[in-house]
Structures are given as structure tokens and as C-alpha cells.
């Protein structure tokens, strides 16, 4: 009896902290289920449904975001998991017997301010998400009520007896059936995904092959563009002038070498005249062509009309 009283005492103190820290708390089922309203989302009522499980406060309460009709509300937030249950809230995941229900719920309410509340992606007023109907938490347990005081004491003192009693409750069995059904559905979806693996691999191989073709064609195009740039450079005026100037200097250099040989007595006048004059002619012709090209290009640029903005008188 003392153990039972002590558990009830701690449970009652936790409820008192909830009401004290969050004054807007409403009792849905005294000692079992409480509700705290949150800011409206898209014109809909949203609240926290706080379920005090049988072994609370040794274990954390189950807190769920619900909308109208106590249905799970698809709220987009890092703390909200499957079926809109807050299974990722730090204070709930690290819950222990010294945790405070009031401070925990207050932190959740402060976190879920108007600026952070958003309906889950793809959800609408008529949400297409699958809603799981959990069984109602009873306020009394006929199985427990039918026990003698001695049987109740044994149930509370013996962990194995309590677990056997707990897992034989109709509501717990229903939750287990829902869990098993969800596991089966997830397993079926996984099998369907795996059955498409061959199709996926074929598509991936085809995509890789097409990618190789695209890379090859891209390289061909880049090579042709490089060739085009080289040809355009060869035909440019600056390139032509540079080549003409280089050729003129080569002719001049060769003619000077022949002149040096003649002056040093290494070549006869006849051979000198025969070799020197053509080279000097080439030199002067190329330099003249270069100068004439420069002048012609400058005149062409000067003839380009320049638009002058007219000012209004």
C-alpha cells in the first residue's frame, strides 16, 4: 500500500507542476489525459494531448499534437515524429524520475510559437496521410478492480506479474496489433521497392552509357571549337601583320649575312649580286605591304560612322 501511495503522490505532484507552469492546461480525463492549446494553424485548432501512461512518472508521458476531433495533426517540426507524437523532444527522450512535467510542457509550448508552427509538407485540410486510431485510455480497469488487495500488492511488487497484467489488457493488445500491422505494411513496401531494383539498375546502366556518349560528343565539339579558334586567329589582321613583319626581318637578316660574306671576300660580286638583290627586294616589298596594310586598316576604321547624340535646342 505504501508503494502504491508513493507512486500516486509523485504522479499528483507532477500534475500540479503542469497546472502551475502551464495555467491553460485542461483536464480531459483527470489523472490520465490533459490538453494544452497551441496557436491556430491555417485556421484550425491545434493542441497538445498529454497522456500519462500507467508507469508515469517513472516513464515519460506520451505527448501528441492533435487537431479537431482529437485527430493527429500533421505538424512539421524536428520534434514531431510518426503519428504526430513528440518522440524527438530532448526533455522527453532524456526523461527520468526527477524531470518536471510542467517545465517540459512549458518548453514545448514556447518552442511551438506562431512563427514555427507549420502544417506538414503536402498536407491540407483534407489530409491524405494515414491516420491511426489509437484506443481510448480507460479511467478504470475492471481487471484491476476485481482483484483483492493482496493481489494488487503482489501486482505492484512483482515486475513479471505487472508486465503480464499490462500486456494482457485489451487496449495494449490493440496497440500491439496496430504495431504489427504497420510493420507488415512497411515490410511489404520494402519488398516492392526491392522488386524494382533490377529495373532501377537497368535504368542506371542506360543513364551511365548515355552520359559517356554525351561526354564523348562534348569533347568532339570542344576540339572543333579549338580548331575554329586557331583558324580564325590565322586569318586575323594582327596575325597577318605579325607574319608579314617576321618574313621581312628574315629576308633582311639573310641579305645582311650575304653582304658580310661579300665584304669579307668570301663571295664574288656576281654571286653577291645574284643573291643579295632578290632578298633586299623581298624585304622592302614585305615592309611596304605591311605599312600599306596598316594604313588601309586605319582608314577603314576611320570611315565607320559614329553616332553622336543630338541635343535639343
Amino acid at each position: 500500500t505504501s508503494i502504491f501511495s508513493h507512486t500516486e503522490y509523485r504522479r499528483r505532484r507532477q500534475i500540479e507542476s503542469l497546472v502551475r507552469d502551464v495555467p491553460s492546461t485542461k483536464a480531459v480525463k483527470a489523472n490520465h489525459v490533459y490538453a494544452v492549446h497551441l496557436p491556430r494553424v491555417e485556421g484550425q485548432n491545434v493542441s497538445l494531448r498529454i497522456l500519462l501512461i500507467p508507469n508515469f512518472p517513472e516513464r515519460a508521458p506520451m505527448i501528441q499534437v492533435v487537431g479537431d476531433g482529437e485527430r493527429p495533426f500533421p505538424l512539421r517540426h524536428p520534434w514531431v515524429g510518426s503519428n504526430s507524437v513528440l518522440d524527438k523532444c530532448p526533455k522527453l527522450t532524456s526523461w527520468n524520475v526527477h524531470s518536471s512535467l510542467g517545465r517540459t510542457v512549458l518548453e514545448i509550448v514556447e518552442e511551438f510559437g506562431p512563427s514555427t508552427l507549420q502544417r506538414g509538407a503536402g498536407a491540407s485540410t483534407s489530409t491524405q496521410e494515414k491516420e491511426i486510431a489509437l484506443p481510448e485510455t480507460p479511467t478504470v480497469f475492471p481487471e484491476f478492480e476485481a482483484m483483492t488487495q493482496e493481489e494488487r500488492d503482489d501486482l505492484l511488487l512483482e515486475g513479471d506479474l505487472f508486465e503480464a497484467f499490462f500486456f494482457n489488457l485489451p487496449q495494449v493488445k490493440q496497440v500491439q496489433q496496430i504495431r504489427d500491422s504497420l510493420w507488415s505494411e512497411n515490410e511489404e513496401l520494402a519488398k516492392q521497392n526491392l522488386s524494382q531494383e533490377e529495373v532501377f539498375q537497368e535504368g542506371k546502366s542506360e543513364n551511365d552509357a548515355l552520359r559517356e556518349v554525351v561526354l564523348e560528343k562534348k569533347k568532339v565539339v570542344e576540339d572543333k571549337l579549338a580548331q575554329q579558334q586557331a583558324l580564325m586567329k590565322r586569318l586575323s589582321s594582327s596575325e597577318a601583320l605579325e607574319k608579314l613583319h617576321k618574313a621581312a626581318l628574315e629576308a633582311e637578316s639573310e641579305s645582311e649575312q650575304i653582304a658580310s660574306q661579300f665584304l669579307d671576300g668570301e663571295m664574288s660580286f656576281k654571286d653577291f649580286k645574284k643573291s643579295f638583290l632578290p632578298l633586299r627586294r623581298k624585304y622592302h616589298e614585305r615592309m611596304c605591304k605591311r605599312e600599306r596594310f596598316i594604313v588601309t586598316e586605319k582608314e577603314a576604321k576611320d570611315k565607320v560612322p559614329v553616332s553622336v547624340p543630338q541635343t535639343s535646342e
Side-chain angles (χ1 to χ4, degrees):
T1 305
S2 60
I3 294 177
F4 182 77
S5 299
H6 183 60
T7 301
E8 281 298 313
Y9 172 75
R10 285 189 293 148
R11 188 184 183 95
R12 186 168 61 252
R13 290 296 300 273
Q14 289 283 4
I15 295 172
E16 290 173 356
S17 75
L18 173 62
V19 177
R20 180 183 64 251
D21 294 336
V22 189
S24 61
T25 302
K26 302 294 182 183
V28 179
K29 292 181 180 179
N31 297 325
H32 295 283
V33 184
Y34 292 85
V36 175
H37 288 295
L38 296 175
R40 292 167 65 87
V41 178
E42 297 180 5
Q44 294 194 49
N45 295 321
V46 182
S47 59
L48 296 175
R49 183 175 185 267
I50 305 163
L51 173 63
L52 306 183
I53 58 179
N55 52 354
F56 174 82
E58 283 77 11
R59 296 290 181 87
M62 189 186 83
I63 302 181
Q64 184 182 32
V65 182
V66 297
D68 295 329
E70 294 293 309
R71 295 181 178 179
F73 189 87
L75 193 67
R76 188 196 310 167
H77 192 279
W79 292 359
V80 180
S82 176
N83 206 35
S84 301
V85 175
L86 274 71
D87 54 7
K88 299 173 185 177
C89 173
K91 280 194 176 294
L92 292 177
T93 56
S94 61
W95 180 273
N96 57 65
V97 292
H98 303 294
S99 299
S100 168
L101 178 61
R103 288 195 294 270
T104 298
V105 175
L106 179 61
E107 180 177 303
I108 296 171
V109 172
E110 291 175 347
E111 173 67 20
F112 288 175
S115 61
T116 62
L117 290 183
Q118 287 184 319
R119 179 180 281 274
S124 60
T125 304
S126 57
T127 177
Q128 296 180 355
E129 293 184 3
K130 181 177 180 180
E131 296 180 355
I132 302 172
L134 295 176
E136 290 288 336
T137 302
T139 56
V140 294
F141 295 88
E143 299 85 352
F144 187 78
E145 296 292 334
M147 292 181 178
T148 64
Q149 187 60 45
E150 183 179 356
E151 289 173 335
R152 293 179 183 179
D153 292 340
D154 292 340
L155 183 67
L156 295 172
L157 291 172
E158 297 292 336
D160 293 340
L161 287 177
F162 179 81
E163 285 190 7
F165 170 79
F166 178 76
F167 287 109
N168 278 315
L169 292 173
Q171 295 82 4
V172 176
K173 288 183 178 180
Q174 186 177 351
V175 171
Q176 289 177 328
Q177 290 175 356
I178 294 173
R179 179 200 62 189
D180 294 341
S181 175
L182 290 173
W183 280 353
S184 299
E185 291 178 9
N186 290 338
E187 182 180 8
E188 184 62 30
L189 287 174
K191 289 179 179 179
Q192 291 178 7
N193 290 336
L194 289 174
S195 67
Q196 298 297 320
E197 185 176 7
E198 184 176 350
V199 177
F200 170 77
Q201 291 297 337
E202 290 177 358
K204 183 176 181 297
S205 299
E206 183 179 351
N207 184 66
D208 292 342
L210 290 173
R211 184 173 179 273
E212 291 297 327
V213 172
V214 169
L215 291 176
E216 291 177 3
K217 292 187 179 296
K218 180 183 177 184
K219 187 177 184 306
V220 171
V221 172
E222 289 175 348
D223 291 342
K224 290 188 179 296
L225 286 174
Q227 294 175 10
Q228 183 184 32
Q229 291 294 332
L231 290 172
M232 291 177 65
K233 186 177 180 182
R234 286 172 55 187
L235 297 174
S236 66
S237 58
S238 59
E239 185 73 12
L241 284 172
E242 181 65 26
K243 288 184 177 181
L244 195 56
H245 188 229
K246 184 179 180 181
L249 294 178
E250 289 175 355
E252 182 184 29
S253 177
E254 291 179 16
S255 66
E256 287 179 351
Q257 289 179 5
I258 292 173
S260 296
Q261 290 176 1
F262 174 71
L263 293 174
D264 292 340
E266 298 176 1
M267 182 180 294
S268 64
F269 178 75
K270 182 180 179 181
D271 291 337
F272 167 71
K273 182 179 179 182
K274 182 179 179 181
S275 302
F276 180 78
L277 291 178
L279 288 173
R280 294 305 294 182
R281 188 180 298 113
K282 283 184 180 180
Y283 165 71
H284 289 293
E285 287 177 351
R286 290 169 179 173
M287 290 302 291
C288 287
K289 288 179 179 178
R290 182 175 179 272
E291 293 297 329
R292 189 161 55 247
F293 190 91
I294 293 174
V295 172
T296 303
E297 191 175 43
K298 185 176 182 303
E299 290 176 349
K301 289 182 179 178
D302 293 341
K303 289 181 179 179
V304 176
V306 178
S307 59
V308 179
Q310 297 180 357
T311 58
S312 59
E313 295 182 357

